[in-house]
């Protein structure tokens, strides 16, 4: 869902700068809003009647409209076909403003061979490793815009970082390696229990 802490509004600020240089760029937002159940509830009907913002998704859409960049955004709603969406993309942004858990979108982007623009927060740096994307400061729409513009200016770099990301996922995040590491932990625990018995 669209949320300020996930950097959605910050992306709009960055997009204004990117669109100024690349007017044909499209930002694909894979996020949904409130469902029809809420829209049809008494609260939803009152908000609609008063012209109030229904949810954060609508707030973001209104902001984009006010900034005059509506034609540069596509909202997909909730989707399960992430590999197909990534295949149609050039760069992925992962710009939470507070630390999140593991950051699965980073792994998905790298596995798809896409470079990443991500906030340098939480485990992001450890997940991305070296030379798979660009880390930006939390709260900096300028950093986000500059990183995106750099990728659009330099497709060779974009492809090089995307390829490095794919290799990193193969080396560090594949299922066989994961199962092997978990198995090793279990074996060590069992070995210690035998020794202590």
């Amino acid at each position: 869902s669209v949320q300020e802490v996930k950097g959605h509004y910050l992306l709009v600020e960055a997009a204004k700068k990117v669109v100024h240089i690349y007017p044909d760029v499209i930002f694909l937002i894979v996020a949904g809003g409130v469902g029809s159940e809420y829209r049809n509830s008494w609260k939803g009907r009152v908000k609609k009647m008063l012209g109030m913002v229904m949810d954060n998704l609508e707030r973001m859409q209104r902001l984009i409209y006010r900034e005059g960049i509506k034609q540069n955004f596509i909202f997909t709603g909730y989707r399960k076909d992430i590999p197909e969406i990534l295949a149609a993309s050039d760069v992925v942004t992962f710009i939470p403003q507070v630390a999140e858990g593991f950051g699965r979108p980073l792994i998905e982007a790298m596995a798809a061979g896409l470079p990443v623009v991500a906030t340098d927060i939480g485990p992001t740096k450890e997940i991305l490793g070296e030379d798979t994307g660009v880390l930006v400061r939390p709260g900096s729409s300028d950093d986000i815009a500059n990183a995106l513009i750099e990728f659009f200016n330099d497709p060779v770099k974009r492809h090089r970082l995307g390829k490095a990301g794919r290799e990193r996922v193969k080396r560090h995040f594949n299922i066989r390696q994961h199962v092997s590491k978990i198995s090793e932990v279990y074996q060590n625990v069992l070995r210690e229990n035998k020794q202590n018995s």
Side-chain angles (χ1 to χ4, degrees):
S1 64
V2 171
Q3 296 177 28
E4 186 172 350
V5 295
K6 291 188 175 184
H8 287 104
Y9 303 120
L10 200 60
L11 182 62
V12 175
E13 289 299 312
K16 289 188 314 188
K17 298 164 184 138
V18 175
V19 167
H20 182 72
I21 296 171
Y22 288 99
D24 294 331
V25 69
I26 299 293
F27 292 88
L28 190 62
I29 306 298
V30 182
V34 295
S36 60
E37 193 174 295
Y38 180 80
R39 288 183 184 281
N40 294 325
S41 72
W42 70 269
K43 276 185 174 181
R45 290 195 311 268
V46 168
K47 282 183 171 183
K48 185 175 182 178
M49 185 175 67
L50 296 175
M52 295 172 64
V53 174
M54 191 66 65
D55 60 11
N56 287 332
L57 174 66
E58 189 174 318
R59 181 174 287 115
M60 184 179 182
Q61 290 170 329
R62 286 185 182 189
L63 177 60
I64 289 164
Y65 183 79
R66 276 196 311 271
E67 296 296 345
I69 55 176
K70 183 180 178 218
Q71 70 280 1
N72 298 96
F73 279 81
I74 295 174
F75 290 85
T76 68
Y78 175 76
R79 299 289 292 260
K80 290 185 176 182
D81 58 341
I82 300 303
E84 288 83 358
I85 288 173
L86 291 172
S89 303
D90 293 313
V91 176
V92 170
T93 60
F94 181 74
I95 50 175
Q97 300 304 295
V98 295
E100 290 194 1
F102 182 64
R104 193 179 79 202
L106 296 170
I107 303 297
E108 291 170 342
M110 290 191 298
L114 296 173
V116 179
V117 175
T119 42
D120 189 2
I121 194 166
T124 303
K125 185 183 287 188
E126 288 78 18
I127 294 170
L128 283 181
E130 296 293 320
D131 210 26
T132 63
V134 174
L135 293 170
V136 297
R137 294 171 294 167
S140 177
S141 63
D142 285 336
D143 283 5
I144 297 165
N146 291 338
L148 290 170
I149 289 166
E150 181 181 344
F151 280 140
F152 297 144
N153 283 341
D154 191 349
V156 172
K157 179 178 183 178
R158 190 172 72 225
H159 292 293
R160 180 175 51 79
L161 295 184
K163 184 177 178 185
R166 186 181 299 124
E167 291 303 315
R168 179 166 173 76
V169 168
K170 285 180 187 176
R171 278 193 320 275
H172 299 288
F173 299 104
N174 70 56
I175 191 68
R176 284 190 189 126
Q177 189 174 26
H178 181 70
V179 169
S180 174
K181 286 181 180 179
I182 289 175
S183 177
E184 188 178 313
V185 168
Y186 282 133
Q187 288 172 4
N188 287 339
V189 168
L190 291 171
R191 204 173 300 124
E192 285 178 21
N193 282 342
K194 271 187 173 178
Q195 291 173 354
N196 293 335
S197 302

